[in-house]
Amino acid sequence: MDIVEEKIKTLRPNIKDSSLYAYTNALSRIHRGMKEETDFKDLNFIYKYDETMEYLSKHKNNTIKNMLIPITIILEGINTNEAKILLARYNDVIDKLRFKINDDITDNVKSEKQSNNWATKNEIYKVVRDLKKEAEVAFNKESPTSKDLDKIQQYILAYLYSGKDIKPLRNDYANMKIIRTGLIIDLDDNMNYLILNKGKPYFLINNYKTSNRYGTMRLSVKTKQLKSALMNYIDKLGDEQDYLFLNHQKGNPISENGLTKFIAKTFMRKINKQLTPSLLRAIYISNLDFGKLTYKQKNKIAQEMGHSFDTQQKHYLKLDTEK
């Protein structure tokens, strides 16, 4: 762990690894974007308010907000008048951005980017069917190449995010480990797992955005198609591989950012639309007939997707402008 990560970890002892990485990466991006000559680890660049805001002004509101948060965390740990004044200025920007972002998302209208990339349920299901055909060719090879394994992975992830079995999650399949024995003793609470469980696989999701509120999620794989694909895929990976989804060319576990790009690239190849996990979650929720669901059912769906009912209704449910 480097100096910057240690500083953030000291100020936020319960921070998740994914958030720690995101915060450190955001600070590094700001430092590079400002073309600072000072050492990144000194973090002196955060005192240059005007230059920081000028660089961030090129980004979208939500990105600006997210990139400012680690700056405020660092400033909270500095007990000087200059730091306190800066902290107030940055927090004021964040508060204004939150109001603006909230106004943008609570009207339930698709953004222009969402509208351009929106796909119907049938389109998504067709992609899954097409990818299944490609995966079957790879499954039939005794010694699949990295490209073959990549095709199988595309099919499984498209299936997972289609909602045909498990409701679409965020990027929680990134860095996911495989437990082949079914034993769940001494597992890391900061990791997510696929437990094979004697042919009855389920996902154990410990580390996700709202885990502090909802706790660990156990999501059973229900359909024969997904069970079969997962079991065959893991068999092709070999007993030495601990991680489920990979950058097969490099052999590394796929990261959260890598997962988003992988899924977007998969759908772009098939239907020329950039479908990310977030957009696929919005599409899934928007296709539900909420008029026929009780509050209890709606809330259960929200919890199974790892967010609140309020987030479900305000952030993910999207309507066409004319509705």
Side-chain angles (χ1 to χ4, degrees):
M1 186 179 292
D2 67 23
I3 294 173
V4 176
E5 287 179 331
E6 286 179 1
K7 285 182 179 179
I8 298 174
K9 188 74 174 176
T10 300
L11 295 164
R12 293 288 188 276
N14 298 321
I15 192 170
K16 295 183 182 301
D17 289 342
S18 57
S19 297
L20 181 61
Y21 171 80
Y23 288 168
T24 306
N25 186 53
L27 290 169
S28 178
R29 285 177 62 190
I30 295 170
H31 182 263
R32 292 196 308 271
M34 291 169 63
K35 296 181 172 57
E36 274 290 304
E37 295 180 359
T38 58
D39 189 346
F40 166 63
K41 294 178 181 178
D42 293 337
L43 294 175
N44 290 328
F45 66 92
I46 67 175
Y47 286 93
K48 299 181 179 181
Y49 175 85
D50 291 336
E51 290 90 335
T52 299
M53 295 311 303
E54 181 181 357
Y55 165 70
L56 290 176
S57 66
K58 304 169 188 175
H59 296 78
K60 295 180 179 179
N61 289 333
N62 201 52
T63 301
I64 298 172
K65 174 182 71 68
N66 291 337
M67 294 180 79
L68 284 176
I69 289 173
I71 291 181
T72 63
I73 292 173
I74 297 295
L75 288 172
E76 285 172 8
I78 303 173
N79 191 25
T80 65
N81 286 334
E82 183 182 9
K84 290 176 182 177
I85 292 169
L86 265 176
L87 177 61
R89 293 185 75 184
Y90 282 125
N91 276 331
D92 183 56
V93 174
I94 290 172
D95 287 341
K96 289 177 180 177
L97 286 169
R98 280 178 173 149
F99 278 116
K100 182 168 180 52
I101 292 165
N102 192 55
D103 286 343
D104 289 342
I105 66 174
T106 54
D107 59 4
N108 297 112
V109 175
K110 299 172 191 172
S111 67
E112 182 180 356
K113 184 176 181 180
Q114 286 175 328
S115 293
N116 290 339
N117 290 289
W118 198 265
T120 66
K121 183 168 68 174
N122 287 338
E123 283 181 299
I124 294 169
Y125 283 8
K126 186 178 185 303
V127 169
V128 174
R129 290 194 300 271
D130 290 346
L131 291 172
K132 181 182 179 182
K133 293 175 183 177
E134 294 179 4
E136 285 173 344
V137 174
F139 277 133
N140 288 329
K141 293 186 179 181
E142 187 173 340
S143 299
T145 64
S146 60
K147 289 184 178 180
D148 293 324
L149 293 172
D150 202 69
K151 289 290 178 68
I152 298 171
Q153 183 168 284
Q154 288 179 41
Y155 166 55
I156 292 174
L157 282 169
Y159 200 114
L160 284 168
Y161 282 96
S162 70
K164 288 169 71 70
D165 191 305
I166 292 168
K167 296 172 180 63
L169 302 178
R170 295 184 182 88
N171 290 358
D172 305 315
Y173 298 107
N175 297 304
M176 177 170 281
K177 285 195 166 184
I178 306 165
I179 302 296
R180 292 174 169 81
T181 61
L183 298 176
I184 54 172
I185 300 171
D186 297 328
L187 296 184
D188 188 342
D189 289 342
N190 291 315
M191 295 292 296
N192 297 331
Y193 299 91
L194 172 64
I195 314 291
L196 297 191
N197 193 33
K198 297 180 180 179
K200 297 180 180 179
Y202 63 91
F203 293 99
L204 198 67
I205 311 296
N206 296 308
N207 189 355
Y208 62 101
K209 187 175 181 180
T210 53
S211 60
N212 289 337
R213 179 174 182 179
Y214 297 113
T216 296
M217 294 191 293
R218 175 174 169 155
L219 306 172
S220 296
V221 178
K222 299 179 286 293
T223 61
K224 290 181 180 179
Q225 294 95 325
L226 185 55
K227 284 180 186 177
S228 176
L230 282 167
M231 301 303 286
N232 288 334
Y233 170 61
I234 290 168
D235 183 59
K236 296 293 184 185
L237 288 178
D239 293 338
E240 300 301 316
Q241 181 53 254
D242 293 329
Y243 288 91
L244 182 60
F245 297 121
L246 306 163
N247 179 327
H248 287 287
Q249 281 67 44
K250 296 181 179 179
N252 302 326
I254 198 166
S255 65
E256 291 187 4
N257 187 47
L259 183 68
T260 296
K261 290 180 178 179
F262 185 88
I263 292 167
K265 186 177 179 180
T266 297
F267 280 95
M268 180 64 74
R269 179 171 73 87
K270 284 297 180 182
I271 56 174
N272 200 34
K273 293 182 179 180
Q274 193 172 27
L275 296 181
T276 62
S278 179
L279 186 54
L280 285 161
R281 283 160 65 82
I283 290 170
Y284 176 82
I285 289 171
S286 301
N287 280 325
L288 297 175
D289 190 347
F290 282 100
K292 295 181 180 179
L293 298 175
T294 65
Y295 172 78
K296 186 176 180 179
Q297 289 171 322
K298 295 173 189 175
N299 197 50
K300 184 174 183 292
I301 291 169
Q303 289 189 24
E304 288 176 353
M305 295 181 72
H307 56 232
S308 67
F309 173 71
D310 188 56
T311 297
Q312 177 193 76
Q313 297 296 303
K314 290 183 178 180
H315 184 76
Y316 287 113
L317 178 61
K318 298 295 178 184
L319 306 173
D320 292 316
T321 307
E322 63 268 15
K323 288 185 178 180

